[in-house]
Amino acid sequence: MEAFAKLGLSAWLIEQCKQLGICKPSPVQESCIPAILEGRDCMGCAKTGSGKTAAFVLPILQKLSEDPFGIFCLVITPTRELAYQIAEQFRVLGKPLGLKDCIVVGGMDMIAQALELARKPHIVIATPGRLADHIRSSNTFSIKKIRFLVLDEADRLLEQGCTDFTQDLQVILSAVPAQRQTLLFSATLTDTLQELKSIAMNKPFFWESTSEVRTVEQLDQRYVLVPEKVKDAYLVHLIQKFQDEHEDWSIMIFTNTCKNCQVLNMMLREFNFPSVALHSMMKQKQRFAALAKFKSSIYKILIATDVAARGLDIPSVQVVINHNTPGLPKIYIHRVGRTARAGRKGLAITLVTQYDIHLVNAVEEQINMKLQEYSVKESEVLKILTHVNVTRRECEIKLECTDFDEKKEINKRKQLILEGKDPVLEAKRKAELEKIKKQKKKFKEHIQESIQQKHDAQIRRKLKKKFLRQEKKAAKSQQ
Ligand SMILES: Nc1ncnc2c1ncn2[C@@H]1O[C@H](COP(=O)(O)OP(=O)(O)OP(=O)(O)O)[C@@H](O)[C@H]1O
């Protein structure tokens, strides 16, 4: 524990770490904690599962204990589940302080949150959308005096992915004081470095792990080349094999859409696998319940969309299966980082179809290492192929009979309204864009066709000339 003391942490915090089994600081903690204690802004880019959360929680708690007031610190994170996880770290490590925290996330009661915020908690942990809503609609609390602003998974908060946080982040940034310490952490900071530097204004201390490979050493990274139509049979086979060969096992499966996640979960249950789904079309209470049951090993398989790709710390996960190859290497890095955490071993298997090979190349280039092939007995997979495909189709039909698609449409409309857009106008705009797209496609096809025709005509002319020459030659030789 001496190593923690050398970083400048107080004895009571070191004791709390000890109780959690944290005895020696990880490299990101060793570098960032002293800088934060010195009062510097900090950007920490360290591999998944390397203890970035404690790297900011510990120095913040120490500063809070020296001058306690609320609201002292605001932590922003992209998903609701992560907000709860971070709050738990603050609670456990900050127990001797009698810490008051408040979690502000979507899908939960807004009035209860507003009341809690008004009671001036020491730490507020929030997702951007809901906190921005509170700032816009309420004057019962203020974040004007916070000392610390933390952006966890900072690069995700800034990118304009399927959920765009940038507008909400602007609202939040304009409500916090300029005089503050800003701490930014992620396993993949480098793509958005310049934007992040402008948020951490005071020449931030920047720490990045020096290792060339961007994933952890203890992670065995594999791929299986599978034809698209056989993918589910491979998935079922891999799970069955893992279940047969291990007593204590736990798998996270990532897939690309909520619907696919739902169908796959239904399908795996038909095969009697203990699986549970987690995606953004589920009600928040269901999401928390699913995660809790997976964490406590009631369910051994969590099948999720990328809502679970970042940050979740579930030490028991031994295997990650990518049912689809992620379109972006950084998503791959976060997904596979759900296993092999804090020095443990882990296995990641990516199912790669004929259409995804370029994506694997991009991943390999980013992580700086080659994925190895995972060998699978094809004959075993073929035995279950028809059964799996029929079961999947049955599940799809079952899902079509529910209001899943309808709910998706309603959710989309709600989101548009929240973003201040008119759903009817948006639908019209989308239809027009589709029309233009179709016209463009038709035009392109037409051009390609005429190029092809010209090309064919040229070849025909050349061949004709060639035949004529050959005929002439033959006629001459006969004379
Ligand atoms: N110094 C340490 N020694 C041992 N275990 C640690 C140490 N610091 C943190 N841990 C544990 O390591 C696990 C992973 O930590 P954490 O969730 O903070 O990782 P992370 O770097 O934020 O990962 P990700 O990039 O996936 O969010 C947690 O269970 C945490 O309790």
Side-chain angles (χ1 to χ4, degrees), residues 240-387:
Q240 187 64 55
K241 188 167 174 267
F242 209 75
Q243 181 172 277
D244 294 345
E245 289 173 3
H246 298 83
E247 276 208 350
D248 184 22
W249 59 286
S250 181
I251 303 179
M252 266 179 102
I253 301 167
F254 285 100
T255 187
N256 52 355
T257 64
C258 297
K259 195 169 180 179
N260 211 14
C261 185
Q262 192 77 10
V263 170
L264 283 175
N265 185 41
M266 289 163 77
M267 185 188 86
L268 294 183
R269 285 192 172 194
E270 289 294 323
F271 284 95
N272 288 323
F273 288 124
S275 78
V276 68
L278 177 61
H279 57 74
S280 59
M281 290 272 298
M282 288 161 65
K283 290 209 175 91
Q284 193 51 47
K285 284 200 174 138
Q286 290 175 324
R287 273 166 67 164
F288 286 141
L291 191 60
K293 283 177 188 159
F294 179 64
K295 275 187 170 175
S296 56
S297 289
I298 297 172
Y299 290 97
K300 304 278 191 186
I301 302 170
L302 180 72
I303 173 146
T305 56
D306 284 321
V307 74
R310 280 179 180 253
L312 289 184
D313 182 50
I314 308 165
S316 58
V317 176
Q318 292 138 351
V319 183
V320 167
I321 300 180
N322 284 318
H323 182 258
N324 73 307
T325 314
L328 289 173
K330 73 153 93 175
I331 295 182
Y332 173 90
I333 292 173
H334 288 282
R335 279 185 180 185
V336 299
R338 292 319 98 216
T339 185
R341 298 176 69 75
R344 293 181 196 85
K345 282 188 179 167
L347 170 67
I349 305 175
T350 302
L351 301 182
V352 181
T353 71
Q354 62 271 39
Y355 310 113
D356 309 323
I357 293 169
H358 64 289
L359 298 177
V360 176
N361 293 338
V363 164
E364 289 178 334
E365 205 173 294
Q366 270 278 323
I367 64 171
N368 242 324
M369 69 174 282
K370 290 265 172 222
L371 307 190
Q372 299 299 312
E373 188 160 9
Y374 187 83
S375 94
V376 173
K377 273 194 190 153
E378 216 181 312
S379 56
E380 296 291 312
V381 179
L382 290 178
K383 276 186 208 162
I384 56 168
L385 177 62
T386 315
H387 187 188

Side-chain angles (χ1 to χ4, degrees), residues 259 262 266 279 281 283 286 396-411:
K259 195 169 180 179
Q262 192 77 10
M266 289 163 77
H279 57 74
M281 290 272 298
K283 290 209 175 91
Q286 290 175 324
E396 280 172 349
I397 292 167
K398 263 190 214 162
L399 193 65
E400 272 157 29
C401 295
T402 68
D403 55 358
F404 193 84
D405 286 322
E406 207 177 301
K407 268 190 202 154
K408 194 172 166 189
E409 226 16 74
I410 294 170
N411 279 354

Side-chain angles (χ1 to χ4, degrees), residues 4 21-26 29 46-54 85 89 153 187 311 313 315 334 337-338 341-342:
F4 269 121
I22 300 178
C23 303
K24 192 172 156 275
S26 66
Q29 293 163 357
K47 292 181 187 184
T48 52
S50 61
K52 291 186 287 294
T53 318
Q85 189 178 291
Q89 284 248 0
E153 307 294 345
D313 182 50
H334 288 282
R338 292 319 98 216
R341 298 176 69 75

Side-chain angles (χ1 to χ4, degrees), residues 2-204:
E2 252 175 55
F4 269 121
K6 273 190 194 154
L7 304 183
L9 287 178
S10 308
W12 69 271
L13 265 173
I14 298 173
E15 183 53 36
Q16 288 308 106
C17 288
K18 201 168 142 192
Q19 287 190 12
L20 277 186
I22 300 178
C23 303
K24 192 172 156 275
S26 66
V28 63
Q29 293 163 357
E30 200 157 25
S31 307
C32 296
I33 290 174
I36 300 171
L37 288 175
E38 263 173 40
R40 294 187 65 181
D41 282 359
C42 176
M43 297 173 72
C45 181
K47 292 181 187 184
T48 52
S50 61
K52 291 186 287 294
T53 318
F56 63 81
V57 169
L58 290 168
I60 289 173
L61 286 174
Q62 172 136 333
K63 290 283 179 187
L64 176 69
S65 72
E66 289 163 7
D67 180 15
F69 70 88
I71 299 172
F72 186 81
C73 164
L74 171 62
V75 183
I76 308 289
T77 189
T79 69
R80 300 163 185 183
E81 285 75 10
L82 263 182
Y84 278 78
Q85 189 178 291
I86 295 167
E88 201 177 281
Q89 284 248 0
F90 269 110
R91 272 174 213 168
V92 177
L93 289 168
K95 191 142 196 288
L97 284 185
L99 189 84
K100 271 198 291 177
D101 68 77
C102 172
I103 304 171
V104 178
V105 297
M108 304 304 273
D109 186 359
M110 198 152 166
I111 296 173
Q113 286 172 359
L115 288 173
E116 263 190 75
L117 282 169
R119 281 184 214 125
K120 295 191 177 171
H122 299 115
I123 315 278
V124 174
I125 306 109
T127 48
R130 178 55 68 90
L131 183 65
D133 282 350
H134 278 287
I135 294 171
R136 286 188 200 103
S137 66
S138 162
N139 54 6
T140 56
F141 75 101
S142 163
I143 46 174
K144 272 265 164 291
K145 289 194 175 140
I146 60 160
R147 286 274 170 83
F148 284 95
L149 172 69
V150 183
L151 303 190
D152 185 42
E153 307 294 345
D155 55 326
R156 174 66 192 95
L157 293 170
L158 285 187
E159 68 189 23
Q160 296 175 337
C162 58
T163 315
D164 187 349
F165 298 117
T166 48
Q167 276 183 4
D168 294 326
L169 213 55
Q170 280 311 323
V171 172
I172 295 166
L173 288 176
S174 56
V176 293
Q179 193 70 17
R180 62 171 193 254
Q181 252 180 282
T182 309
L183 316 179
L184 311 167
F185 284 89
S186 175
T188 49
L189 275 186
T190 35
D191 293 354
T192 40
L193 214 55
Q194 285 319 315
E195 291 111 298
L196 289 168
K197 275 188 179 156
S198 67
I199 293 179
M201 290 168 292
N202 316 318
K203 266 202 169 177

